[in-house]
Amino acid sequence: MVLFPSTAIPDVAAHLSEAATSPALPLVHRPRRLRRTEGLRRMVRETVLTVDDLIYPMFVVEGSGQRQQVPSMPGCDRYSIDLLIEELQEVVGLGIGAIALFPLIPDHQKDNAGTESYNPTGLIPQTVRAIKQAFPQLLVITDVALDPYSTMGHDGIVQDGEILNDETVAVLVKQALAHAEAGADMVAPSDMMDGRIGAIRQALDAEGWINVGILAYSAKYASAYYGPFRDALESAPKFGDKKTYQMDAANAAEALKEVDLDIAEGADIVMVKPALAYLDIIHRIKQHTNLPVAAYNVSGEYAMVKAAAAQGWIDETAVMLETLTSIKRAGADVILTYFAKDAARALKAGG
Ligand code: PBG
């Protein structure tokens, strides 16, 4: 059936008669043949995003009956444990198999050494226990870093304006052990102190937690894309920036160095963060290692899509799926994304 006969358009008609009288075009390949129908496109599709690829980062707050919106992260609220468990019904129901937890710590529990971070009955250990009781199969990944617990909003102990490395690592080790003790499946050090992967691996093994994995934030950049996350946790640095420990956005070879170190120290999965402005880094790391590679589609990347969609400027679902697919195509085996629920729903509906 010809809906729109091309002969009806004068210029096209001219070209048609020209094509008919000239010899056949020497086209051996016509790539468009494989794009002709949805069935063909599906058959030759190289990258297929699935719900198994996704880890859902979630924010937890103390108390009960709490569900607090974060203006810069629409759709990603902070939950107290009771409501988090309710929310997880939906998350698990959508087929999402893994979550990453981040706490909002009240100011009175913060100090420079992040002491609350290794409280065995602190917010994260309590949350992990409750989740493991309700959803034993759900993979629970905990973030290991001091910033939510630090009066300074830094990922390490501060002395005279400097972030101390080895002293911080000692605290991170205690934090990781507290999370393992509570039942975390994996710990995810996001602090970028030197040597922390090895120190944590050694301590976990020494305490018998040989099956607790390490998802290492290996190539974590000093990025302006973390803004909305810092709103969610009220964890913005009180002075300066994070450039003495997080990586310079201009560097790529250094990412491979960080990855090599983390692998040598015992990382199970290496991560690149953020994702979108660093797709080349994801690609290089995937070529470089046989470990699974994770990428963090961070808060600012999420907020930009949500904001543009709210204005009606983009098609949110289409942009979300295109973005997540691009991260996977670049080489990520695993994607941490605040879009996990939306993506799971869209994929269920047929993408
Ligand atoms: C801090 C941490 C950050 C994120 C995860 N862990 C922010 C930072 O380094 O300041 C960012 C996540 C996001 O932006 O979505 N240890």
Side-chain angles (χ1 to χ4, degrees), residues 299-349:
S299 58
E301 299 170 15
Y302 175 81
M304 290 194 303
V305 174
K306 286 285 178 186
Q311 297 283 337
W313 292 341
I314 58 170
D315 173 339
E316 179 176 340
T317 304
V319 168
M320 166 187 73
L321 290 174
E322 184 176 335
T323 300
L324 294 173
T325 301
S326 77
I327 296 169
K328 184 166 183 183
R329 190 194 64 230
D333 302 287
V334 179
I335 305 169
L336 284 89
T337 179
Y338 302 99
F339 282 117
K341 273 171 62 185
D342 295 344
R345 252 185 241 113
L347 291 171
K348 230 174 211 174

Side-chain angles (χ1 to χ4, degrees), residues 27-36 40-41 44:
L27 279 184
V28 175
H29 290 288
R30 288 183 179 270
R32 287 183 55 189
R33 250 180 230 135
L34 295 181
R35 297 180 203 136
R36 204 166 47 82
L40 281 163
R41 290 192 293 271
V44 299

Side-chain angles (χ1 to χ4, degrees), residues 36-309:
R36 204 166 47 82
T37 68
E38 177 61 9
L40 281 163
R41 290 192 293 271
R42 288 175 77 105
M43 188 177 75
V44 299
R45 188 157 292 150
E46 299 170 42
T47 305
V48 179
L49 185 72
T50 84
V51 69
D52 298 335
D53 305 326
L54 309 177
I55 298 176
Y56 189 32
M58 298 181 80
F59 305 124
V60 53
V61 65
E62 67 172 11
S64 64
Q66 296 293 312
R67 177 172 181 170
Q68 307 170 349
Q69 295 188 345
V70 181
S72 53
M73 299 206 63
C76 287
D77 303 338
R78 304 178 193 117
Y79 297 90
S80 55
I81 295 174
D82 52 340
L83 297 191
L84 185 85
I85 298 290
E86 271 178 32
E87 170 70 6
L88 284 176
Q89 293 284 1
E90 192 187 347
V91 171
V92 170
L94 284 166
I96 295 165
I99 58 166
L101 291 174
F102 297 93
L104 173 76
I105 300 299
D107 279 344
H108 71 270
Q109 287 179 356
K110 297 185 183 185
D111 59 27
N112 182 22
T115 315
E116 178 61 21
S117 70
Y118 55 88
N119 176 357
T121 58
L123 182 57
I124 289 295
Q126 273 183 47
T127 309
V128 173
R129 287 194 177 91
I131 295 171
K132 279 294 166 181
Q133 206 164 16
F135 303 98
Q137 305 304 320
L138 182 65
L139 278 175
V140 179
I141 301 166
T142 55
D143 200 69
V144 172
L146 297 194
D147 51 326
Y149 307 91
S150 156
T151 33
M152 302 292 178
H154 274 287
D155 292 50
I157 301 170
V158 180
Q159 190 177 51
D160 302 329
E162 274 192 37
I163 315 302
L164 303 179
N165 194 87
D166 300 10
E167 293 80 352
T168 298
V169 171
V171 180
L172 296 171
V173 164
K174 292 188 198 174
Q175 188 183 5
L177 287 173
H179 294 176
E181 176 87 44
D185 295 286
M186 299 193 92
V187 291
S190 68
D191 55 288
M192 289 300 278
M193 296 301 117
D194 294 332
R196 89 280 206 217
I197 302 300
I200 290 171
R201 183 70 272 158
Q202 238 183 340
L204 287 171
D205 290 352
E207 296 295 319
W209 305 114
I210 56 167
N211 290 324
V212 172
I214 300 181
L215 166 59
Y217 286 71
S218 301
K220 177 173 178 177
Y221 287 87
S223 171
Y225 284 96
Y226 305 150
F229 172 95
R230 294 176 188 170
D231 294 341
L233 299 195
E234 297 175 0
S235 64
K238 293 290 185 302
F239 70 90
D241 52 39
K242 298 193 174 186
K243 291 182 180 170
T244 67
Y245 44 107
Q246 299 179 346
M247 285 180 51
D248 187 325
N251 293 358
E254 189 188 355
L256 301 182
K257 177 173 84 179
E258 285 283 5
V259 161
D260 285 342
L261 288 170
D262 284 359
I263 293 173
E265 292 176 31
D268 296 286
I269 302 177
V270 289
M271 179 147 65
V272 178
K273 178 187 179 182
L276 274 190
Y278 300 87
L279 291 178
D280 59 322
I281 308 297
I282 297 172
H283 183 72
R284 286 168 77 145
I285 290 176
K286 184 62 185 169
Q287 308 294 306
H288 186 76
T289 175
N290 292 321
L291 257 55
V293 175
Y296 201 140
N297 176 219
V298 299
S299 58
E301 299 170 15
Y302 175 81
M304 290 194 303
V305 174
K306 286 285 178 186

